[in-house]
Amino acid sequence: MAKLSQDDLLAQFEEMTLIELSEFVKAFEEKFDVTAAAAVAVAGPAGPGAVAEAVEEKDEFDVILAGAGDKKIQVIKVVRELTSLGLKEAKDLVDGAPKPVLEKVNKEAADKAAEALKGAGASVEVK
């Protein structure tokens, strides 16, 4: 049997499903009495890990008005303070909830806006 190069092995692994690859790793561990847990832990979550890092490093947030609550006039006033909208535009935004009030702001501004809206009786999401 010819010896396979590292590139040939990687090409074979690319064609395998995750289940097949998992079964191969288990068989490899049993055959050679080793544990690939560290290698699998590093290689396995590379995709989701990268997404988690991107979420942790997020520096732009959207403040979304989910609902006006009972004090709609107070919420409209706060929306006008937070944005440069006129009375009609702010009222339309509040009436059309859920809608974004602020987009792509920093964490501090998003938190302040959310607290102001919640203080006025609105339900708010920060994404």
Side-chain angles (χ1 to χ4, degrees):
M1 183 163 129
K3 184 176 179 182
L4 294 175
S5 70
Q6 187 175 8
D7 291 334
D8 293 335
L9 285 171
L10 289 174
Q12 290 296 317
F13 290 141
E14 282 181 336
E15 295 176 11
M16 297 175 102
T17 65
L18 288 175
I19 294 172
E20 292 171 334
L21 190 57
S22 175
E23 291 170 354
F24 170 78
V25 170
K26 288 177 187 176
F28 186 89
E29 289 174 344
E30 290 174 11
K31 170 96 174 164
F32 296 104
D33 195 29
V34 294
T35 308
V40 172
V42 172
V51 172
E53 288 176 9
V55 170
E56 292 173 358
E57 296 175 7
K58 186 174 181 179
D59 59 353
E60 292 181 339
F61 298 86
D62 295 341
V63 179
I64 299 173
L65 177 67
D70 295 335
K71 301 177 183 177
K72 186 173 160 183
I73 294 173
Q74 293 299 92
V75 174
I76 293 171
K77 287 180 182 179
V78 173
V79 168
R80 289 193 66 203
E81 290 172 10
L82 294 172
T83 64
S84 60
L85 296 176
L87 180 60
K88 181 180 181 343
E89 292 84 7
K91 181 183 179 305
D92 291 344
L93 188 145
V94 171
D95 287 341
K99 285 200 173 182
V101 176
L102 297 174
E103 294 178 321
K104 297 182 180 179
V105 295
N106 65 27
K107 177 77 171 153
E108 184 178 317
D111 288 342
K112 284 183 181 179
E115 287 302 314
L117 288 165
K118 287 177 184 175
S123 54
V124 182
E125 296 176 21
V126 177
K127 294 184 179 180

